[in-house]
Amino acid sequence: MKAPDPRLDADAVLARLMEDVERWLAAAPVFLIALVVIVFAWMIGGWLSKRRALDRVGRHNPFLRDLARTTVRWAVTLIGVVIALEILNATAMVGAILGTAGVLGVALGFAFKDILENYLAGVLLSLRQPFSPRDLVEIDGNQGHVIALTSRATILMTLDGNHLRLPNALVFRSVALNYTRNPTRRFEFDVGIGVEEDLVHAQHVGIDALRTVPGVVDSPPPRALVMALGDSSVQMRYHGWVDQRSHDYLLVRSEAVRIVKEALDTENVDLPEPIYRLKLDGAGPTVSAVPGPAAPPSAAEAPSVERPKRPSGPPIDTRSTGDLTEQIDQEVRKRGGADLLDHNTPLE
């Protein structure tokens, strides 16, 4: 058997190359037409994506509007690509491309699971609008004012001024507590009343005092409840409602505790401290303290010393402080309006 000639036939190679060039030149007009179709489809998609009809679709939701524009543009472009393949007589390639795209989509879905999950959660949150900008919310134990909702994260400013980013998937799954949705918010605090005191009188004294606190609304009215019997006192719980639109919740609660305490002192209502009975063991020097009620010492055993009453200072201003208002405004200006939340959108 004769071995093939290892020498390169330059003429044959050149002839094949020329045939390929002639074939590509012959198909160039078809390729040019297909390219023009794709470019034209891209331009038509861009023109359609800017129509006012799409603006009406996402009128109250900028995120939905952008999503609709992008979807329309790429859908029209995909139609142009399919037509271009038909012009090139590459119909079989369409099925191969779609099959490859499906496999690639599954692979990318697993690789970017968290990103896609946060993106889809951002879409749903922008549609549902569970909170508005500047609302005070608590999500998964994190409390702060809402600054913005992006396609991947919900941005909060905590009460101590820190910047907090929560993944949208976490926000969507978690229980969200919105303190701002209802303009009035209830506060409460407990006071120990002496066991020998008139509890009804103590209730009325505290309720009347709460009505004088700036920021406490008349409806719902303040209330006082007898909660439990302690070792040396009766647990009384006072609560009232604050109008958060004009007053600060913590300042009103602080002022309410002070005013109720002063009112009870003025009415000579006993606010006993915890009392302990000491049991001395005669067998040794050990001394044990056992908590329990005990009779107060007599005047002879513990003479009282009257303290001079100090003049009280000016009343505390309980109006809303707006400590974080300037910082939140700065964050909003930095974002340049890139927010998926809208004050005009119906809330969930």
Side-chain angles (χ1 to χ4, degrees):
M1 182 177 180
K2 185 178 179 181
D5 188 359
R7 290 177 299 176
L8 178 64
D9 189 352
D11 294 336
V13 173
L14 183 59
R16 287 196 301 270
L17 180 60
M18 292 302 296
E19 290 177 2
D20 293 338
V21 171
E22 290 176 359
R23 188 165 56 251
W24 282 103
L25 289 176
V30 180
F31 279 108
L32 183 59
I33 294 174
L35 181 61
V36 170
V37 169
I38 294 175
V39 174
F40 185 72
W42 175 260
M43 296 173 61
I44 291 295
W47 180 80
L48 291 175
S49 66
K50 297 178 181 178
R51 297 303 91 197
R52 291 185 176 180
L54 293 180
D55 292 339
R56 287 195 293 268
V57 171
R59 179 173 48 190
H60 299 304
N61 194 325
F63 185 73
L64 184 60
R65 182 174 61 246
D66 294 339
L67 182 62
R69 288 176 176 176
T70 303
T71 302
V72 168
R73 185 164 195 169
W74 282 104
V76 175
T77 303
L78 182 60
I79 294 174
V81 171
V82 173
I83 295 175
L85 292 175
E86 289 288 346
I87 293 174
L88 295 174
N89 197 19
T91 309
M93 190 181 299
V94 176
I97 291 176
L98 294 178
T100 304
V103 175
L104 183 61
V106 173
L108 291 177
F110 281 106
F112 300 98
K113 175 180 176 297
D114 293 338
I115 296 177
L116 294 176
E117 187 179 8
N118 290 325
Y119 181 82
L120 293 176
V123 173
L124 296 176
L125 288 173
S126 67
L127 295 175
R128 294 170 54 189
Q129 297 281 330
F131 37 70
S132 297
R134 302 176 186 273
D135 278 3
L136 177 61
V137 298
E138 183 174 346
I139 302 172
D140 195 38
N142 301 288
Q143 190 178 101
H145 292 275
V146 178
I147 296 178
L149 171 65
T150 68
S151 60
R152 293 188 57 187
T154 301
I155 303 174
L156 304 181
M157 178 170 287
T158 62
L159 298 183
D160 50 1
N162 291 325
H163 202 263
L164 180 64
R165 296 175 64 91
L166 298 177
N168 285 334
L170 174 65
V171 177
F172 186 76
R173 292 194 305 264
S174 300
V175 176
L177 177 60
N178 193 330
Y179 293 103
T180 310
R181 182 66 59 85
N182 186 2
T184 56
R185 180 180 175 186
R186 194 182 77 172
F187 67 88
E188 60 184 31
F189 58 92
D190 294 342
V191 178
I193 306 297
V195 294
E196 301 295 333
E197 295 295 330
D198 185 349
L199 298 181
V200 176
H201 176 64
Q203 287 178 303
H204 286 299
V205 170
I207 292 174
D208 293 339
L210 285 175
R211 290 196 178 102
T212 65
V213 179
V216 175
V217 299
D218 295 330
S219 181
R223 301 187 188 278
L225 305 174
V226 179
M227 299 303 297
L229 293 175
D231 294 333
S232 55
S233 64
V234 178
Q235 201 74 13
M236 185 80 69
R237 177 167 297 172
Y238 298 94
H239 64 73
W241 294 81
V242 181
D243 186 352
Q244 299 183 99
R245 295 168 295 187
S246 58
H247 290 76
D248 185 271
Y249 172 82
L250 293 178
L251 290 177
V252 172
R253 184 183 184 280
S254 172
E255 190 70 357
V257 174
R258 182 185 68 84
I259 291 179
V260 169
K261 193 265 182 187
E262 290 182 352
L264 293 174
D265 287 340
T266 301
E267 293 294 325
N268 295 321
V269 176
D270 184 25
L271 306 179
E273 298 178 355
I275 301 174
Y276 295 89
R277 177 182 295 135
L278 300 180
K279 182 178 180 181
L280 302 179
D281 189 354
T286 304
V287 179
S288 61
V290 180
S298 62
E301 295 174 346
S304 60
V305 178
E306 185 177 354
R307 298 180 180 178
K309 188 175 182 180
R310 299 180 180 178
S312 60
I316 302 298
D317 187 1
T318 60
R319 289 175 297 179
S320 181
T321 59
D323 292 338
L324 296 177
T325 301
E326 183 177 353
Q327 299 182 50
I328 295 176
D329 291 339
Q330 291 178 358
E331 290 293 335
V332 172
R333 287 193 294 268
K334 288 179 183 178
R335 303 195 60 81
D339 189 3
L340 307 183
L341 297 174
D342 189 351
H343 284 290
N344 300 319
T345 302
L347 298 176
E348 183 184 39

